[in-house]
Amino acid sequence: MIPFPRPGSPEYDALLHEVRFPDDGDAAETREWLDALATLVHVGGPQRARFVLHALQDEARRHALDWQPRRNSPYLNTITLHEQAPFPGNLEIEQRLAAIMRWNALAMVVRANARHGELGGHISSYASAADLFEVGFNHFFRARTRTGAHAAEASASQGGDLVFFQPHSAPGVYARAFLEGRLSEDDLAHYRQEVSAASARRDGGTVRGLSSYPHPWLMPDFWQFPTGSMGIGPLSAVYQARFMRYLQHRGLMAPNDRRVWGFFGDGEMDEPESLAGLSLAAREGLDNLVFVVNCNLQRLDGPVRGNGRIVDELETAFEGAGWFVIKLLWGSDWDGLFARDHTQALARAFARTVDGQFQTFSANDGAYNRERFFGQSPELAALVGAMTDHDIDRLHRGGHDLVKIHAAYAAAVAHTGKPVVILAKTMKGYGMGAAGQGRMTTHSQKKYDDDALKDFVRRFNLPMSDEAAEAQRFYRPADDSPEMRYLQTRRAALGGPLPERHHEAPALTVPAANDFAAFALMADGREMSTTMAFVRLLGSLLRLPELGPRVVPIVADEARTFGMASLFRQVGIYAPQGQCYEPEDASSLVAYREARDGQLLEEGINEAGALASWTAAATSYSTHGLPMLPFYIYYSMFGFQRVGDLIWAAADQRSRGFLIGATAGRTTLGGEGLQHQDGHSQLVATTVPNCVSYDPAFAYELAVIVEHGMQRMLRKQDDVFFYITTMNENHAQPSMPEGAASGIVRGAHRLPGGEPLAAPLAQVTLLGSGAILHEVLAAALLLAADWQVQSDCISVTSFCELAREGIDADRQALWGHRPDAPYITVLLAATAGPVLAATDYVRAVPEQLRAWVPAGRRYSTLGTDGFGRSDSRAQLREHFEVSRQHIVLAALQALVMDGSVPPDLPALARARYGLREGANPRVA
Ligand SMILES: Cc1ncc(C[n+]2csc(CCOP(=O)(O)OP(=O)(O)O)c2C)c(N)n1
């Protein structure tokens, strides 16, 4: 022990000062300032002290000192011991429960791997997150309450809290559901064996497979939020919290104190999406949002910030964005050390220790830590002088201390005005001993030898025999045991089990297309683009008394581009603060109007945020029992390509809504060039199983598709969403031909032909969709006038839907059924000649139909493979060889190959239309 001066003595103060400010050139002066501040706080109170500090800050700025307050606080708990809320639970029982969860989660992963050796799964992430989850489950996560079960702690939140779980910690959530009686032992034994479980069910079993990560698509009554792709969870959590406010401010949801909790990894925070929503959350004061970042300091390959401290970095980022930051770093057993640490040796030692080193400390035992951490200085050594190596080994990090975690959560939920982040320091692979704790390879550790299993059981005092441990038997205490009674009582008090996904929501009455789009059905030659038609149709939907308020128009700073500025005034732009300024265009009919109850979500230049908003609205039927109808309209290039992973997650989450890819097609957006011209979103849309995609050419087709989409999503409540591409090219819009609707919905309809040729040389069938259909129709005229070739024209509204029908029919045949011929086969059978399909997309889009073209009919496709470039629409169509003349050329070529016309016709056509061979657009 080194001798300390008596606390309070001048010698003591001098020593303390030297330790805290080793670089101080004038200690006496500094002390005067510090004393003055202390007096100010003491006499004037905290508010006065804050005022003076702000005044000093302003003054410093006036002197151009280039000074800003440090963002980082010392590497200590934000909540001091005396501020700590008392722990309301039974600590011992909760610790035992956490241990049981840990074991069952571990056994689940180890068993799955022992059985198949290839199934993967993670142990070490949940090992670090277990206590963080458990405190939430026992004290904070309120479930959606059922009628008659309004417990005191839950009653204020009928709708329940929304919890985003760290995805690879899913085994821990299953382990809890097992103890709660929601999953059986058999279910746990089928973790990551969903296909085997399904076949067992077909044989009469009741087992369910457990998905690797939270997937609502695969476990629709369990998981609410897909988080498996890093970064999607944090972004979605922000926008869920924001959408809850939107619903409240618009009067669609009663004010409530429901909360969104998001548990994320510190490595995950490196994803751009993870931090992308922070400013919005702070700007809109989302105090219904709590992030818990599990700072186990490791990701998959190694440390998150080996040479730095991720907690410091995140503290700066979150605080800078305007969040309230709670650092939860050290457990209760450190309290005594801090109390005795008169020289703040610990804080200084932490400040010198980088995360790579902290990881090494966590991977090693007490003796190592005594020597390498506490051995750094006599003061530190003295602090642990009376402790055994075992005691040092068991010094908890904050994220493994139920009492400290509870205090942090309690402070988070009590905080108002800002979103809160808890930076919880944990150990990756906590409790896995030499098999994994803090090891570089721990993320992928899924094999446990018998000794390691027995060690684990002993480490957590589980009442299991060695034999049970070696057999990786799941452990469930008796129903009347104190643990089980406690667990059930706590969940009952919080409203019931969680996570639990609901899907029951009232079906909405859907208007007929005639009620909101008569202008499109009976367009009678009026000029407009399909984008204009969409905007008009949306305006009508918004005016409908029942459905109107449920419509959520979403834009990412392109409302004016798409001619939607009138919506600013009509429904207002959502802004929780209302409008605190006089807009420059106040007197205009399309003034920029922000309002607290505004309906339009104007997300700014933020497609990811817009998509997250869309998902929140598109799943509101499930999360809130309140079906909404979102329409997110955007440049089609910045959808599937830019935020495709978010769309995939939205699909997993069973979203119901419309995505409108405007100005779609590679040749549609003339001058904008390579990065704007989309020739493939329709192809990618095809790959999303529950995305129903259409590429209509006519306003009436669009109207029919929107009605059909609403029928499926709002009335029938199918878990599908619609992707519709629209164009900005004006055309004389025809009225809808009699009986066309069902074909439009199925994916194609034959267009009424003109006068047939008296003596045609040959016949072709032309398919076209979207922007290029108009070129196809023009080509049909040229074929007739210039080449005596008769065309049948088919408008393909969805190559994807047609192909899906074909795929399903083929499969049925494989299983011995006798499916009807696919619709496209039947439709083409009624036409004649070779079939040629042209689109403004890559050829792979129309190529999808090849298998179902009637036997003996030639099938050719034209498309826009290759990079776009800027020029006029006409030049682009030349470049990609999809203009009307090129369609004629391709049709004649097909007829030549069929032997139906003289072989020199293509050359004559090239000459007649002045077509010259350029660079191959696919590679140019
Ligand atoms: C977008 C994406 N990239 C990569 C992965 C693969 N992956 C799963 S977990 C993981 C490491 C996660 O580390 P961290 O967020 O620190 O969580 P921890 O497991 O350490 O708690 C990685 C790289 C993924 N799931 N999603």
PDB file of all heavy atoms in Angstrom, residues 373-387:
ATOM      1  N   PHE A 373      -3.114  -5.756 -16.176  1.00  0.00           N
ATOM      2  CA  PHE A 373      -3.899  -4.524 -16.068  1.00  0.00           C
ATOM      3  C   PHE A 373      -3.623  -3.824 -14.727  1.00  0.00           C
ATOM      4  O   PHE A 373      -3.148  -2.693 -14.698  1.00  0.00           O
ATOM      5  CB  PHE A 373      -5.402  -4.811 -16.213  1.00  0.00           C
ATOM      6  CG  PHE A 373      -6.239  -3.566 -16.078  1.00  0.00           C
ATOM      7  CD1 PHE A 373      -6.284  -2.634 -17.101  1.00  0.00           C
ATOM      8  CD2 PHE A 373      -6.940  -3.289 -14.906  1.00  0.00           C
ATOM      9  CE1 PHE A 373      -7.015  -1.447 -16.972  1.00  0.00           C
ATOM     10  CE2 PHE A 373      -7.675  -2.111 -14.767  1.00  0.00           C
ATOM     11  CZ  PHE A 373      -7.704  -1.197 -15.806  1.00  0.00           C
ATOM     12  N   PHE A 374      -3.876  -4.540 -13.646  1.00  0.00           N
ATOM     13  CA  PHE A 374      -3.710  -3.884 -12.347  1.00  0.00           C
ATOM     14  C   PHE A 374      -2.235  -3.703 -11.997  1.00  0.00           C
ATOM     15  O   PHE A 374      -1.902  -2.912 -11.118  1.00  0.00           O
ATOM     16  CB  PHE A 374      -4.437  -4.693 -11.263  1.00  0.00           C
ATOM     17  CG  PHE A 374      -5.931  -4.645 -11.420  1.00  0.00           C
ATOM     18  CD1 PHE A 374      -6.630  -5.733 -11.922  1.00  0.00           C
ATOM     19  CD2 PHE A 374      -6.639  -3.499 -11.093  1.00  0.00           C
ATOM     20  CE1 PHE A 374      -8.009  -5.682 -12.091  1.00  0.00           C
ATOM     21  CE2 PHE A 374      -8.020  -3.440 -11.254  1.00  0.00           C
ATOM     22  CZ  PHE A 374      -8.710  -4.536 -11.763  1.00  0.00           C
ATOM     23  N   GLY A 375      -1.381  -4.396 -12.717  1.00  0.00           N
ATOM     24  CA  GLY A 375       0.037  -4.265 -12.429  1.00  0.00           C
ATOM     25  C   GLY A 375       0.665  -3.028 -13.060  1.00  0.00           C
ATOM     26  O   GLY A 375       1.871  -2.812 -12.946  1.00  0.00           O
ATOM     27  N   GLN A 376      -0.158  -2.208 -13.721  1.00  0.00           N
ATOM     28  CA  GLN A 376       0.410  -1.054 -14.426  1.00  0.00           C
ATOM     29  C   GLN A 376       0.937   0.024 -13.491  1.00  0.00           C
ATOM     30  O   GLN A 376       1.772   0.821 -13.874  1.00  0.00           O
ATOM     31  CB  GLN A 376      -0.658  -0.421 -15.335  1.00  0.00           C
ATOM     32  CG  GLN A 376      -1.086  -1.298 -16.488  1.00  0.00           C
ATOM     33  CD  GLN A 376      -2.130  -0.577 -17.331  1.00  0.00           C
ATOM     34  OE1 GLN A 376      -1.838   0.376 -18.025  1.00  0.00           O
ATOM     35  NE2 GLN A 376      -3.362  -1.037 -17.248  1.00  0.00           N
ATOM     36  N   SER A 377       0.377   0.092 -12.285  1.00  0.00           N
ATOM     37  CA  SER A 377       0.842   1.130 -11.360  1.00  0.00           C
ATOM     38  C   SER A 377       0.601   0.648  -9.935  1.00  0.00           C
ATOM     39  O   SER A 377      -0.267  -0.214  -9.702  1.00  0.00           O
ATOM     40  CB  SER A 377       0.065   2.438 -11.583  1.00  0.00           C
ATOM     41  OG  SER A 377      -1.255   2.283 -11.125  1.00  0.00           O
ATOM     42  N   PRO A 378       1.333   1.194  -9.008  1.00  0.00           N
ATOM     43  CA  PRO A 378       1.143   0.775  -7.613  1.00  0.00           C
ATOM     44  C   PRO A 378      -0.278   1.069  -7.125  1.00  0.00           C
ATOM     45  O   PRO A 378      -0.859   0.286  -6.374  1.00  0.00           O
ATOM     46  CB  PRO A 378       2.156   1.613  -6.844  1.00  0.00           C
ATOM     47  CG  PRO A 378       3.078   2.192  -7.842  1.00  0.00           C
ATOM     48  CD  PRO A 378       2.415   2.165  -9.172  1.00  0.00           C
ATOM     49  N   GLU A 379      -0.842   2.203  -7.595  1.00  0.00           N
ATOM     50  CA  GLU A 379      -2.206   2.531  -7.140  1.00  0.00           C
ATOM     51  C   GLU A 379      -3.189   1.450  -7.572  1.00  0.00           C
ATOM     52  O   GLU A 379      -4.041   1.025  -6.797  1.00  0.00           O
ATOM     53  CB  GLU A 379      -2.680   3.863  -7.741  1.00  0.00           C
ATOM     54  CG  GLU A 379      -1.875   5.077  -7.361  1.00  0.00           C
ATOM     55  CD  GLU A 379      -0.894   5.427  -8.466  1.00  0.00           C
ATOM     56  OE1 GLU A 379      -0.111   4.534  -8.849  1.00  0.00           O
ATOM     57  OE2 GLU A 379      -0.913   6.572  -8.936  1.00  0.00           O
ATOM     58  N   LEU A 380      -3.042   1.007  -8.828  1.00  0.00           N
ATOM     59  CA  LEU A 380      -3.964  -0.028  -9.332  1.00  0.00           C
ATOM     60  C   LEU A 380      -3.747  -1.341  -8.594  1.00  0.00           C
ATOM     61  O   LEU A 380      -4.694  -2.023  -8.188  1.00  0.00           O
ATOM     62  CB  LEU A 380      -3.743  -0.253 -10.831  1.00  0.00           C
ATOM     63  CG  LEU A 380      -4.247   0.840 -11.767  1.00  0.00           C
ATOM     64  CD1 LEU A 380      -3.802   0.552 -13.195  1.00  0.00           C
ATOM     65  CD2 LEU A 380      -5.761   0.911 -11.711  1.00  0.00           C
ATOM     66  N   ALA A 381      -2.505  -1.678  -8.418  1.00  0.00           N
ATOM     67  CA  ALA A 381      -2.197  -2.935  -7.743  1.00  0.00           C
ATOM     68  C   ALA A 381      -2.789  -2.917  -6.343  1.00  0.00           C
ATOM     69  O   ALA A 381      -3.350  -3.927  -5.869  1.00  0.00           O
ATOM     70  CB  ALA A 381      -0.694  -3.142  -7.694  1.00  0.00           C
ATOM     71  N   ALA A 382      -2.716  -1.741  -5.723  1.00  0.00           N
ATOM     72  CA  ALA A 382      -3.219  -1.648  -4.354  1.00  0.00           C
ATOM     73  C   ALA A 382      -4.731  -1.881  -4.309  1.00  0.00           C
ATOM     74  O   ALA A 382      -5.261  -2.476  -3.368  1.00  0.00           O
ATOM     75  CB  ALA A 382      -2.895  -0.272  -3.778  1.00  0.00           C
ATOM     76  N   LEU A 383      -5.400  -1.444  -5.355  1.00  0.00           N
ATOM     77  CA  LEU A 383      -6.864  -1.577  -5.366  1.00  0.00           C
ATOM     78  C   LEU A 383      -7.315  -3.032  -5.280  1.00  0.00           C
ATOM     79  O   LEU A 383      -8.350  -3.342  -4.698  1.00  0.00           O
ATOM     80  CB  LEU A 383      -7.440  -0.958  -6.652  1.00  0.00           C
ATOM     81  CG  LEU A 383      -7.460   0.566  -6.725  1.00  0.00           C
ATOM     82  CD1 LEU A 383      -7.964   1.003  -8.086  1.00  0.00           C
ATOM     83  CD2 LEU A 383      -8.347   1.132  -5.617  1.00  0.00           C
ATOM     84  N   VAL A 384      -6.552  -3.935  -5.891  1.00  0.00           N
ATOM     85  CA  VAL A 384      -6.976  -5.340  -5.916  1.00  0.00           C
ATOM     86  C   VAL A 384      -6.106  -6.203  -4.991  1.00  0.00           C
ATOM     87  O   VAL A 384      -6.149  -7.427  -5.068  1.00  0.00           O
ATOM     88  CB  VAL A 384      -6.948  -5.923  -7.345  1.00  0.00           C
ATOM     89  CG1 VAL A 384      -8.014  -5.294  -8.189  1.00  0.00           C
ATOM     90  CG2 VAL A 384      -5.573  -5.744  -7.995  1.00  0.00           C
ATOM     91  N   GLY A 385      -5.365  -5.496  -4.143  1.00  0.00           N
ATOM     92  CA  GLY A 385      -4.454  -6.222  -3.266  1.00  0.00           C
ATOM     93  C   GLY A 385      -5.151  -7.284  -2.436  1.00  0.00           C
ATOM     94  O   GLY A 385      -4.603  -8.365  -2.198  1.00  0.00           O
ATOM     95  N   ALA A 386      -6.385  -6.986  -2.023  1.00  0.00           N
ATOM     96  CA  ALA A 386      -7.067  -7.932  -1.132  1.00  0.00           C
ATOM     97  C   ALA A 386      -7.943  -8.916  -1.905  1.00  0.00           C
ATOM     98  O   ALA A 386      -8.658  -9.727  -1.303  1.00  0.00           O
ATOM     99  CB  ALA A 386      -7.921  -7.149  -0.139  1.00  0.00           C
ATOM    100  N   MET A 387      -7.890  -8.839  -3.196  1.00  0.00           N
ATOM    101  CA  MET A 387      -8.770  -9.722  -3.989  1.00  0.00           C
ATOM    102  C   MET A 387      -8.001 -10.939  -4.489  1.00  0.00           C
ATOM    103  O   MET A 387      -6.809 -10.850  -4.797  1.00  0.00           O
ATOM    104  CB  MET A 387      -9.339  -8.953  -5.202  1.00  0.00           C
ATOM    105  CG  MET A 387     -10.372  -7.912  -4.820  1.00  0.00           C
ATOM    106  SD  MET A 387     -10.782  -6.823  -6.206  1.00  0.00           S
ATOM    107  CE  MET A 387     -11.741  -7.889  -7.240  1.00  0.00           C
TER     108      MET A 387
END
